[in-house]
Amino acid sequence: MSTAVLDSPVGSPETAPDALAGFTIGVTATRRREEFCALLERRGARVVRAPAIRLVPLAEDAELLAATRASLSAPIDDVVVTTGVGFRGWMAAAEGWGLSADLTAHLTDARLLTRGPKARGAVRAAGLNDHWTPSTESCEEVKQHLLAQDLRGRRIAVQLHGEPLTGFVAELREAGAEVIEVPVYRWLPYRDTSPLRRLISQAISGGVDAVAFTSAPAVLAMLNAARADGLEDALIAAFAGPVVAACVGPVTAGPLEARGVPTVLPDRARLGALARTLARHLPEHSVTRLVAGGHQLEIRGHAVAVDDELKPLPPAPMAVLKRLADKPGHVVARSELRTVLPGGASRDSAEHAVEMAITRLRRALGPSGIVETVVKRGYRLACDRGEVM
């Protein structure tokens, strides 16, 4: 398992409008989905939208009201604010119950520990003062910060971020603190799971080059959906192989890394940084460059650039081209090319499918002489070993 942390300054090649041209990226986000997709599409990516989760506010929830009243029953010493949207939701719910003034007064007298800049911004927007924010933007560092102090007798409110913080809360209680869990919202699977299930199939079949995740619950939702269809092992294998798992931060990457999946992260947990990271990583690591028939080829996810002119390819011709590019200059038998064609077919129909894929590939490439036929043996890319870039 490995994690690559990448980022780049604005104005670098990763911000170019064609940096992601020829690549297909799955996006599992729900919140700010269109904003993130636009960042990728402006760089030329083809985006597959497959929301994995939905946020369910709990303004009417009895648990949130009970947690709020518990927080108001006595002074609060510390408040852990894990997300900006969650904190704003808590304040809005308190206002609806007529408890806003009391909650604000209690929070004013408490130390507010914010997990990251978004949470800190929500606290400040409410006119409150934040006490401390970890550099890693992780709950683990917040927990260690608290455990380094004497917590005996302290009352700590912990705003949950869509799922229980079981270990976090248990360790604070073991250290002597009274902990009030504040469940502001919950993550649930997206109502229509068909886009996510299609994305899982595309990842397994090589139909996408990367999947971008912006929350750990979205990662878990995708893994759970794959498991329900008996495809979890195949999905993990795809992420461990050709499909890039790009995560907005280490918390999001956690469920994948626990399964041994290598992930790619920006150096800052921001959507813009994640888009730039993908625009740098995919061209560097998911492109095959070679010279064939005197023409420069750059093979990307669903397209090939021939002398810098991008030419989209359907799945079958692209599969054939990639297999030929695996052995540049060498003959690849028809029987081998049959194995890479999408879908299954009988021997006779597969022979015809290979011929059709080669015909469509040559037509799409444009210049003649790039793909050569070797009579009774198969096909080859017309390049010498020394021409591979």
Side-chain angles (χ1 to χ4, degrees):
M1 180 200 70
S2 63
T3 298
V5 179
L6 304 169
D7 201 6
S8 57
V10 175
S12 64
E14 297 84 80
T15 64
D18 61 348
L20 288 172
F23 292 110
T24 302
I25 300 172
V27 172
T28 60
T30 302
R31 291 184 61 249
R32 302 177 67 189
R33 177 175 68 246
E34 293 308 317
E35 175 188 350
F36 182 52
C37 290
L39 289 172
L40 298 174
E41 289 170 338
R42 280 202 295 268
R43 291 170 168 82
R46 177 192 293 172
V47 175
V48 177
R49 292 164 171 79
I53 54 177
R54 57 191 171 99
L55 184 151
V56 181
L58 301 181
E60 304 296 328
D61 193 272
E63 291 181 41
L64 177 57
L65 178 57
T68 303
R69 286 176 172 164
S71 300
L72 299 178
S73 65
I76 306 174
D77 297 298
D78 302 286
V79 180
V80 177
V81 183
T82 57
T83 65
V85 64
F87 185 78
R88 289 191 294 270
W90 188 17
M91 298 299 289
E95 185 174 359
W97 296 322
L99 300 175
S100 179
D102 288 344
L103 181 58
T104 298
H106 275 66
L107 296 180
T108 298
D109 294 335
R111 298 190 311 171
L112 273 61
L113 286 73
T114 54
R115 182 171 66 92
K118 293 180 182 178
R120 183 175 60 213
V123 165
R124 293 179 179 178
L128 299 166
N129 295 320
D130 54 286
H131 174 73
W132 179 79
T133 302
S135 59
T136 60
E137 303 182 26
S138 71
C139 286
E140 178 64 25
E141 190 173 354
V142 175
K143 182 185 71 176
Q144 295 302 330
H145 179 80
L146 286 169
L147 291 175
Q149 306 166 42
D150 184 358
L151 299 184
R152 289 173 295 181
R154 295 187 72 83
R155 299 185 79 235
I156 303 175
V158 178
Q159 176 242 306
L160 306 181
H161 54 75
E163 56 187 10
L165 292 172
T166 307
F168 185 103
V169 170
E171 291 192 47
L172 296 186
R173 285 174 175 159
E174 288 174 5
E178 175 190 348
V179 181
I180 303 163
E181 298 176 76
V182 183
V184 181
Y185 56 81
R186 292 195 183 99
W187 295 112
L188 294 177
Y190 202 72
R191 289 185 178 88
D192 181 5
T193 61
S194 55
L196 182 61
R197 294 172 71 184
R198 284 195 297 270
L199 177 58
I200 291 168
S201 296
Q202 288 175 286
I204 293 170
S205 66
V208 296
D209 303 291
V211 177
F213 297 100
T214 58
S215 72
V219 175
L220 293 171
M222 189 174 195
L223 293 174
N224 290 339
R227 185 182 308 119
D229 289 340
L231 298 173
E232 184 179 19
D233 289 344
L235 180 62
I236 292 295
F239 282 138
V243 181
V244 175
C247 300
V248 74
V251 174
T252 299
L256 289 170
E257 294 182 355
R259 288 163 171 80
V261 172
T263 57
V264 173
L265 284 67
D267 65 349
R268 298 176 69 246
R270 301 291 182 273
L271 294 183
L274 180 58
R276 290 194 300 273
T277 294
L278 279 164
R280 174 183 174 185
H281 183 85
L282 287 176
E284 286 185 355
H285 299 277
S286 301
V287 171
T288 300
R289 298 175 176 86
L290 48 82
V291 176
H295 299 277
Q296 292 187 356
L297 304 186
E298 185 175 285
I299 303 170
R300 296 188 166 212
H302 63 263
V304 55
V306 181
D307 298 329
D308 294 327
E309 182 182 351
L310 196 68
K311 299 173 182 290
L313 288 178
M318 177 55 79
V320 167
L321 176 60
K322 287 183 176 179
R323 181 51 61 93
L324 294 175
D326 286 341
K327 302 176 180 179
H330 294 269
V331 178
V332 181
R334 290 181 177 84
S335 59
E336 182 176 344
L337 293 177
R338 285 201 306 266
T339 66
V340 303
L341 293 178
S346 65
R347 179 183 176 88
D348 292 339
S349 61
E351 288 280 358
H352 177 68
V354 170
E355 292 176 4
M356 289 299 299
I358 289 291
T359 299
R360 296 174 70 188
L361 174 59
R362 285 171 167 158
R363 186 182 304 126
L365 292 176
S368 61
I370 295 177
V371 178
E372 295 180 335
T373 300
V374 181
V375 179
K376 296 184 179 180
R377 292 182 59 196
Y379 303 93
R380 66 184 288 270
L381 288 180
C383 54
D384 297 328
R385 296 179 69 89
E387 293 180 306
V388 179
M389 301 171 66

PDB file of all heavy atoms in Angstrom, residues 13 29 54 62 90-91 193 218-219 234 293 353 376:
ATOM      1  N   PRO A  13       1.114  23.036 -15.803  1.00  0.00           N
ATOM      2  CA  PRO A  13       0.416  22.271 -16.837  1.00  0.00           C
ATOM      3  C   PRO A  13      -0.850  21.579 -16.340  1.00  0.00           C
ATOM      4  O   PRO A  13      -1.752  21.310 -17.122  1.00  0.00           O
ATOM      5  CB  PRO A  13       1.474  21.260 -17.271  1.00  0.00           C
ATOM      6  CG  PRO A  13       2.781  21.914 -16.965  1.00  0.00           C
ATOM      7  CD  PRO A  13       2.538  22.706 -15.722  1.00  0.00           C
ATOM      8  N   ALA A  29     -19.119  12.106  -5.290  1.00  0.00           N
ATOM      9  CA  ALA A  29     -19.561  13.144  -4.359  1.00  0.00           C
ATOM     10  C   ALA A  29     -21.038  13.458  -4.523  1.00  0.00           C
ATOM     11  O   ALA A  29     -21.610  13.309  -5.610  1.00  0.00           O
ATOM     12  CB  ALA A  29     -18.740  14.414  -4.572  1.00  0.00           C
ATOM     13  N   ARG A  54     -26.104  10.233   0.576  1.00  0.00           N
ATOM     14  CA  ARG A  54     -26.895  11.452   0.748  1.00  0.00           C
ATOM     15  C   ARG A  54     -26.845  11.851   2.213  1.00  0.00           C
ATOM     16  O   ARG A  54     -26.767  11.004   3.116  1.00  0.00           O
ATOM     17  CB  ARG A  54     -28.334  11.256   0.288  1.00  0.00           C
ATOM     18  CG  ARG A  54     -29.075  10.127   0.969  1.00  0.00           C
ATOM     19  CD  ARG A  54     -30.396   9.827   0.277  1.00  0.00           C
ATOM     20  NE  ARG A  54     -31.013   8.623   0.791  1.00  0.00           N
ATOM     21  CZ  ARG A  54     -31.983   8.604   1.701  1.00  0.00           C
ATOM     22  NH1 ARG A  54     -32.429   9.757   2.196  1.00  0.00           N
ATOM     23  NH2 ARG A  54     -32.500   7.466   2.111  1.00  0.00           N
ATOM     24  N   ALA A  62     -35.130  13.527  17.473  1.00  0.00           N
ATOM     25  CA  ALA A  62     -35.181  13.576  18.930  1.00  0.00           C
ATOM     26  C   ALA A  62     -33.797  13.446  19.542  1.00  0.00           C
ATOM     27  O   ALA A  62     -33.520  14.013  20.609  1.00  0.00           O
ATOM     28  CB  ALA A  62     -36.098  12.476  19.445  1.00  0.00           C
ATOM     29  N   TRP A  90     -26.456  22.337  13.389  1.00  0.00           N
ATOM     30  CA  TRP A  90     -26.774  22.329  14.827  1.00  0.00           C
ATOM     31  C   TRP A  90     -27.300  23.697  15.263  1.00  0.00           C
ATOM     32  O   TRP A  90     -28.324  23.793  15.957  1.00  0.00           O
ATOM     33  CB  TRP A  90     -25.520  21.951  15.602  1.00  0.00           C
ATOM     34  CG  TRP A  90     -25.755  21.721  17.079  1.00  0.00           C
ATOM     35  CD1 TRP A  90     -26.947  21.502  17.707  1.00  0.00           C
ATOM     36  CD2 TRP A  90     -24.754  21.662  18.100  1.00  0.00           C
ATOM     37  NE1 TRP A  90     -26.759  21.309  19.050  1.00  0.00           N
ATOM     38  CE2 TRP A  90     -25.420  21.403  19.328  1.00  0.00           C
ATOM     39  CE3 TRP A  90     -23.367  21.791  18.095  1.00  0.00           C
ATOM     40  CZ2 TRP A  90     -24.739  21.288  20.541  1.00  0.00           C
ATOM     41  CZ3 TRP A  90     -22.683  21.664  19.296  1.00  0.00           C
ATOM     42  CH2 TRP A  90     -23.357  21.412  20.508  1.00  0.00           C
ATOM     43  N   MET A  91     -26.638  24.750  14.847  1.00  0.00           N
ATOM     44  CA  MET A  91     -27.079  26.095  15.215  1.00  0.00           C
ATOM     45  C   MET A  91     -28.459  26.406  14.643  1.00  0.00           C
ATOM     46  O   MET A  91     -29.299  27.018  15.306  1.00  0.00           O
ATOM     47  CB  MET A  91     -26.051  27.127  14.735  1.00  0.00           C
ATOM     48  CG  MET A  91     -24.662  26.966  15.352  1.00  0.00           C
ATOM     49  SD  MET A  91     -24.661  27.139  17.162  1.00  0.00           S
ATOM     50  CE  MET A  91     -24.969  28.907  17.320  1.00  0.00           C
ATOM     51  N   THR A 193     -29.261   3.760  -6.582  1.00  0.00           N
ATOM     52  CA  THR A 193     -27.922   3.160  -6.542  1.00  0.00           C
ATOM     53  C   THR A 193     -27.425   2.738  -7.923  1.00  0.00           C
ATOM     54  O   THR A 193     -26.281   2.304  -8.044  1.00  0.00           O
ATOM     55  CB  THR A 193     -27.914   1.932  -5.620  1.00  0.00           C
ATOM     56  OG1 THR A 193     -28.831   0.949  -6.135  1.00  0.00           O
ATOM     57  CG2 THR A 193     -28.330   2.314  -4.202  1.00  0.00           C
ATOM     58  N   ALA A 218     -18.506   7.864   1.471  1.00  0.00           N
ATOM     59  CA  ALA A 218     -18.699   7.542   0.052  1.00  0.00           C
ATOM     60  C   ALA A 218     -17.857   6.330  -0.344  1.00  0.00           C
ATOM     61  O   ALA A 218     -18.304   5.484  -1.121  1.00  0.00           O
ATOM     62  CB  ALA A 218     -18.343   8.743  -0.815  1.00  0.00           C
ATOM     63  N   VAL A 219     -16.636   6.250   0.185  1.00  0.00           N
ATOM     64  CA  VAL A 219     -15.798   5.076  -0.070  1.00  0.00           C
ATOM     65  C   VAL A 219     -16.493   3.821   0.455  1.00  0.00           C
ATOM     66  O   VAL A 219     -16.610   2.804  -0.245  1.00  0.00           O
ATOM     67  CB  VAL A 219     -14.421   5.229   0.598  1.00  0.00           C
ATOM     68  CG1 VAL A 219     -13.603   3.945   0.441  1.00  0.00           C
ATOM     69  CG2 VAL A 219     -13.659   6.414   0.006  1.00  0.00           C
ATOM     70  N   ALA A 234     -13.149  -7.813  -6.862  1.00  0.00           N
ATOM     71  CA  ALA A 234     -12.799  -7.329  -8.195  1.00  0.00           C
ATOM     72  C   ALA A 234     -12.573  -5.822  -8.194  1.00  0.00           C
ATOM     73  O   ALA A 234     -11.673  -5.311  -8.873  1.00  0.00           O
ATOM     74  CB  ALA A 234     -13.896  -7.701  -9.194  1.00  0.00           C
ATOM     75  N   GLY A 293       4.928   4.075 -37.162  1.00  0.00           N
ATOM     76  CA  GLY A 293       4.741   4.537 -38.532  1.00  0.00           C
ATOM     77  C   GLY A 293       5.189   5.963 -38.740  1.00  0.00           C
ATOM     78  O   GLY A 293       4.652   6.670 -39.604  1.00  0.00           O
ATOM     79  N   ALA A 353     -14.936  -9.826 -34.942  1.00  0.00           N
ATOM     80  CA  ALA A 353     -14.884  -8.659 -34.065  1.00  0.00           C
ATOM     81  C   ALA A 353     -13.490  -8.050 -34.038  1.00  0.00           C
ATOM     82  O   ALA A 353     -13.334  -6.826 -33.991  1.00  0.00           O
ATOM     83  CB  ALA A 353     -15.325  -9.052 -32.659  1.00  0.00           C
ATOM     84  N   LYS A 376      -1.328 -14.080 -41.723  1.00  0.00           N
ATOM     85  CA  LYS A 376      -1.488 -15.359 -41.027  1.00  0.00           C
ATOM     86  C   LYS A 376      -0.915 -15.372 -39.613  1.00  0.00           C
ATOM     87  O   LYS A 376      -0.875 -16.416 -38.974  1.00  0.00           O
ATOM     88  CB  LYS A 376      -0.852 -16.499 -41.839  1.00  0.00           C
ATOM     89  CG  LYS A 376      -1.522 -16.749 -43.178  1.00  0.00           C
ATOM     90  CD  LYS A 376      -0.905 -17.947 -43.869  1.00  0.00           C
ATOM     91  CE  LYS A 376      -1.612 -18.206 -45.214  1.00  0.00           C
ATOM     92  NZ  LYS A 376      -1.043 -19.382 -45.921  1.00  0.00           N
TER      93      LYS A 376
END
